[in-house]
Amino acid sequence: MSGRAAVPRMRRRDSMGLPSLLVCLLWLFSGPSLAAGQDDEHGQPAAVPPAAAVQPPTEPAPQAAAPRTTPAPAPPQTESPRAATTAAPRPPATTAPQAQATFTTSPSDDIDPDGKCKAAIEALCATVRPGDGRLASCLREANRAATARKQALPTSEGCRLDVRHFFIKVAKAGVDPTSEKKVMAEPVQGFRQACSADIEKHCQNEKPIMVMQCLKKFKPGLTEACREKVFMVQTFQAADLSLDVAAAEACKPDIERLQMCNITSPPGAQNVCLRKHRKELSEACRAELFRREQESSSDLRLNLDVLNACQEEVASHCKGEAFGEARVFGCLWKASLGRTTLAFSQDCRRKVTGLAKRAGSDYRLDYGVRVNCEADIEKLCSAEKQAADQMTIVELFGGQDVSGRYMEGKAGGVLKCLKKQYTDLENPGCKKAMARVVQTHATEWDAVPDTARTCKEDVDALCKDIPKTKVLRCLRKNSDKLSPECKESMHIQGQVEAMDVTFKPLIFNACQNAIRTFCRDIPSGEAKVIQCLQDNLENPEFPRKCKIEVEDDLEASNHDWRLKFGVHDQCKQDVEALCADVELTGGKAPVLECLKTNIENLKSAGCKTEVRRFVRSGVDDIRMAPVVNSMCMSDVATFCSDIQPGGGRVHDCLLRHRGDISSQCAEAEFALQALKASDVRFSSVVMQSCGRTMKTLCKDAGEGGGHSWACLEDNLDRREMDSKCRLVVQKEMALKHSEFHLNLRLANSCADDAGKVCPEELDKANFKDFSAEGQVITCLTEKIVQVNSTVCRDHLRRKVGQRVQHNDLDPKAKKACASDVARLCSGKKGMHGRVQECLHENLEQLSPPCKALQKLYMVAASSDIRMNPELEKACRHVVDKLCKDVKPGQVIRCLLDRMHKPAVDDECRQHLLVEQRKRASSFDFNPRMKANCGEDLANLVKLGACNRNEGNWQLECLTNASHVSAIKNEKCKMAISSAQLRESSDLRAKPGAEKNCEQDIKDLCPGVEPGAGRVQLCLRQHITEIKNPACRKNVEDIQLRDKTHALTNYMVQKQCVNEITAYCKDVEPGDSRLLMCLGNYHKEAGFSVGCKAALATTQMQELMKSPMASKFKADFQSLMEKHRGFLDKWGGLLFVGTLGFVSVVAFALAWCLIQRRMFHVGYSVVVPKDLEG
């Protein structure tokens, strides 16, 4: 474990290509294994000999990462960031350099020339001077050349074994810093010359056996030539553990004990075997293997196990990458995560993943983290680094300590700290390195040391059968059941994953097409692409494979606010202010639920946006609403097991069964629906269906507080509304009408009034479990006159207006009228408003419960135009012309009184005719009379003046001309006069008259347009020809009234409007006074012909001769005197005074003029010369 964890980075140049390296390493093990080592069936050794340390200049250098099928030789490469994909050839070095020519040779510094290699030396190296390993190097070069030419190896198996043993001996001899020669023999040619200065500089005080380790330690600071030679030594050590003396000595007992690891072929196999049995090894051996892992982390060529498995992938995926600085490994890792048309074998993928997992267990095993994060670690994680650096290998990774007791490992502290501080990392290279760690840990839960230790029991209990790549998601979905230690570890990883879609490999791989289609211009980072994918989940074009992954990940992350980057980033202050202690309460996603409940109180706009996104995901898919999903799991299984989640479908299913689901499910679902009802943005389905409509019709409507919903509801029948949007709005309206508290504006403004007026209904609604059936709204409608809040009445009228159009919005009415609809109106279903009209037309045939509720809304519609949307819509422009300044509650009366004016268009008139017929059909639909005439009607009944057998007998009794004097209430009188005037203008306004006179009108008045007194006049002209006695009576009753009362005579009111204003404006109506007033002035020159003609149809002349006339004249003179104007009283005196004043002024002016003419005085003006002109 010697050596620093992170060393300064140096710029260096690679020079050894992949093919030549493999050839070199394979040759090293071409001799027999220590265990076996047989030739193949062609008599060739089982491994391929390596290239020589140098290569003739005539052979070009290969690419830095070439496929294994191209074993062309190349000089060794070092791990430099400047390394090109090719390296220039170096001159052969089969002889010692000139500077070393005087060294004394001995049999120990080279292979024995008379040994097993004698024949080969004579044939291949006859000109090479023995010593300093030159013969051994020459033989290696000969084998390399033969392998490159694909020829038989020129050396025997025994010779190759001797060469191997020679280099092991050289390695054990080490490097003597104090010796001029430094090494017994060069481990690679040129080592002495390249590294002498570096040895003296960095390793002067090291023992010979440790000098090579020292050079590795200071490798980034070595000269380029020495660094190249050290790297070559490392490549041989990677192939043969025995050449790494420290590791070989430490692991020797373990190798002897574990016979399966007592192998030397293929290259690197022994190292692989020891790693596989890591936990069975001695602490000393494990420590040495850990050191070797750190050394090999910088260059894939030092990890032959992965390199051999991935030759094709290196050539195809990473052909442009230079070896060194873990570049090729990073390239392979990235390629292994993504989808590609290029081949990527399972063996290579498995080896790369395994190496990545191992690198993610300690910061020193990840080259990128170790080198790039040095400053960030020192600044942010120094305590964790110090603790890790002081741990033994057993303390780090677990195992038996010296006492034989098993110890749990504590590795991963620095990486855990770097994850927690990810946003504060300053070095981009460090962030990039940590990104790979996060990606590895995202799909390999047990590669996270802390999670592997703390979550094992939770995984066994909750996620045992879950695929390994999705175990972390499973843990997040069950976060409320995890141990505190596991939850913390899992959340740290989850927080970083949430920052970027690339940190979620499962999503990133599955969603490449979706990202290109829906999120093309969305920048990576800050969860923007993740949010974009989530926002488009309900799009019909969204790829199914991507949707599955995003939904699964979203479900997992919705269990904790820290797993949602946007919420965690934007809501910290709001959480501190509103939800600081909710984590202690436990339960599903407590902080997210707290933020959701307090969404209107959130101060941060960014937090509101993110919480809205969270709510929307749950509204769209029940799996994304942790509380609802948990509370309704059994109900979903019972009622909705065949429903595919997403698009709000499971929620719709639960709502269809809301009367049957459990109370806990109903309450949880109600809370979610209340949020949805407050803002259209809480539903992707609504936004997709109504987005275009909102831009057209509701662009100025507020989004929160139910404003957008209100706008959509108010424009439900507009042609501009998309049909899909209309269906969505209708469904939402039906739900909101069933529950008082699902109507945010209504509930807020009417809470007090509901508590006073409808306490029992409100108590039931307060359970918020879909059991109220809209009874609060129905109760408030019945008792609207008792509602004190003006705002409440306004919101209530709007709701009533919706029910007027669609009675089935009232759950009680829908239930009560179901049989009536089936019996009377089955053919009208599906036709807009037709069922409603049918029920109204058959009102008297309805069952009592249905009839009562139908009448409730019909009465409401007649009392205020705001509760009669159809009429309001049809007459909107007419109201602006004729009733603009009239109070809303009096607009319908205003319109009815003017319905036959030219300014009233046909559409409006037809709707007013419906209202008029309705009022003629029942006293209940005449709100003004019903409100003011109750006492007078009771008196008339008491006097026996009313025939209660007549249809609408109340209206007939009150409007009877002979009962006028019995009416005492002035407001009642006004209401009756208004009704009588409408009857005078349109026979259809009189109860029963339209039906009574239908045939006579056809016979006697064909082609006569109803209204404006036209049919009345026609029937009066044919009074003797009317066949139906009831019709004749209706006509005569109205005619009799018209003859004696100008106020209720439509023709007089129409033709004499100017005359009434000019002569009779101060006359109080009643007792024929207005008619006698007009008669008193009818001979005046200003009287119009039309008015005189209208008066001629009355009994004006008879009235003027009656005793009433004398009394009227006296009263009229008194009235005139009383109301005589200022000029009438003081006009004469004012005239004389004005005349006198004018005379005095005229005299004064004349005197002034005479004075000026008689006493005129002349004068001169001097003008300066320079101003003359």
Side-chain angles (χ1 to χ4, degrees), residues 804-1093:
V804 164
Q805 281 186 289
H806 308 282
N807 286 169
D808 57 355
L809 289 176
D810 180 349
K812 192 175 179 181
K814 184 177 182 179
K815 187 176 180 180
C817 296
S819 60
D820 297 282
V821 171
R823 178 169 52 90
L824 301 169
C825 312
S826 59
K828 307 291 185 180
K829 289 184 178 180
M831 302 170 67
H832 180 68
R834 294 291 184 262
V835 173
Q836 202 80 358
E837 291 178 7
C838 174
L839 291 174
H840 292 174
E841 291 169 359
N842 295 279
L843 188 64
E844 297 305 320
Q845 301 178 47
L846 301 181
S847 61
C850 179
K851 181 179 180 181
L853 288 168
Q854 291 297 321
K855 286 192 71 172
L856 171 66
Y857 296 114
M858 292 174 73
V859 168
S862 293
S863 65
D864 194 316
I865 196 168
R866 291 170 292 185
M867 292 188 283
N868 195 330
E870 292 284 352
L871 181 61
E872 185 178 32
K873 177 185 175 183
C875 296
R876 183 178 290 113
H877 300 301
V878 178
V879 171
D880 291 339
K881 294 177 183 177
L882 303 179
C883 307
K884 187 175 182 180
D885 298 324
V886 177
K887 293 180 180 179
Q890 300 173 11
V891 169
I892 296 180
R893 187 179 77 215
C894 171
L895 290 170
L896 287 171
D897 291 344
R898 294 161 176 78
M899 67 181 288
H900 297 297
K901 285 184 173 292
V904 179
D905 58 63
D906 290 340
E907 183 183 9
C908 177
R909 186 175 290 113
Q910 288 301 315
H911 280 81
L912 287 172
L913 179 59
V914 172
E915 178 63 27
Q916 180 176 271
R917 285 171 173 158
K918 187 171 74 170
R919 294 189 179 212
S921 68
S922 174
F923 178 66
D924 293 327
F925 303 139
N926 293 267
R928 193 179 178 201
M929 269 194 276
K930 190 171 182 180
N932 297 296
C933 298
E935 187 174 345
D936 289 305
L937 181 60
N939 289 333
L940 289 171
V941 172
K942 190 175 182 180
L943 295 171
C946 302
N947 181 4
R948 302 183 69 170
N949 294 321
E950 292 180 324
N952 198 354
W953 63 269
Q954 301 98 323
L955 188 59
E956 286 280 33
C957 185
L958 288 170
T959 57
N960 191 308
S962 62
H963 298 160
V964 173
S965 58
I967 306 301
K968 305 301 181 185
N969 187 307
E970 291 299 324
K971 290 184 177 179
C972 179
K973 286 182 180 180
M974 294 176 64
I976 291 171
S977 296
S978 180
Q980 290 173 332
L981 181 61
R982 287 197 293 274
E983 290 179 2
S984 175
S985 68
D986 195 333
L987 189 65
R988 294 169 294 186
K990 186 171 180 61
E994 184 175 15
K995 184 177 180 181
N996 294 337
C997 296
E998 182 178 7
Q999 191 58 48
D1000 288 301
I1001 292 172
K1002 288 181 180 179
D1003 296 339
L1004 303 174
C1005 307
V1008 176
E1009 186 179 354
R1014 289 182 288 266
V1015 172
Q1016 294 275 37
L1017 180 60
C1018 174
L1019 290 174
R1020 289 174 190 177
Q1021 292 171 348
H1022 298 85
I1023 191 70
T1024 58
E1025 302 174 50
I1026 295 176
K1027 296 178 181 178
N1028 190 327
C1031 176
R1032 185 182 300 114
K1033 184 178 184 303
N1034 292 147
V1035 175
E1036 289 173 344
D1037 286 346
I1038 297 172
Q1039 186 177 23
L1040 177 61
R1041 192 170 61 219
D1042 285 352
K1043 286 182 178 181
T1044 56
H1045 297 282
L1047 183 64
T1048 60
N1049 186 315
Y1050 175 77
M1051 295 305 297
V1052 171
Q1053 286 290 317
K1054 178 182 178 182
Q1055 299 294 337
C1056 300
V1057 61
N1058 294 328
E1059 287 78 3
I1060 292 172
T1061 303
Y1063 300 108
C1064 309
K1065 66 178 180 178
D1066 295 321
V1067 174
E1068 184 179 356
D1071 295 330
S1072 301
R1073 285 188 292 270
L1074 183 57
L1075 190 57
M1076 286 188 285
C1077 172
L1078 291 171
N1080 196 46
Y1081 289 99
H1082 79 285
K1083 293 184 179 179
E1084 295 290 331
F1087 250 67
S1088 66
V1089 175
C1091 182
K1092 288 181 179 180

Side-chain angles (χ1 to χ4, degrees), residues 1125-1169:
F1126 178 81
L1127 289 176
D1128 293 333
K1129 292 182 178 181
W1130 307 102
L1133 183 59
L1134 184 61
F1135 176 73
V1136 174
T1138 302
L1139 187 59
F1141 176 74
V1142 172
S1143 300
V1144 172
V1145 172
F1147 174 77
L1149 290 173
W1151 184 82
C1152 289
L1153 290 172
I1154 293 170
Q1155 286 290 314
R1156 291 190 64 176
R1157 286 180 177 276
M1158 292 180 64
F1159 303 102
H1160 178 72
V1161 179
Y1163 61 92
S1164 301
V1165 178
V1166 178
V1167 180
K1169 289 184 177 180

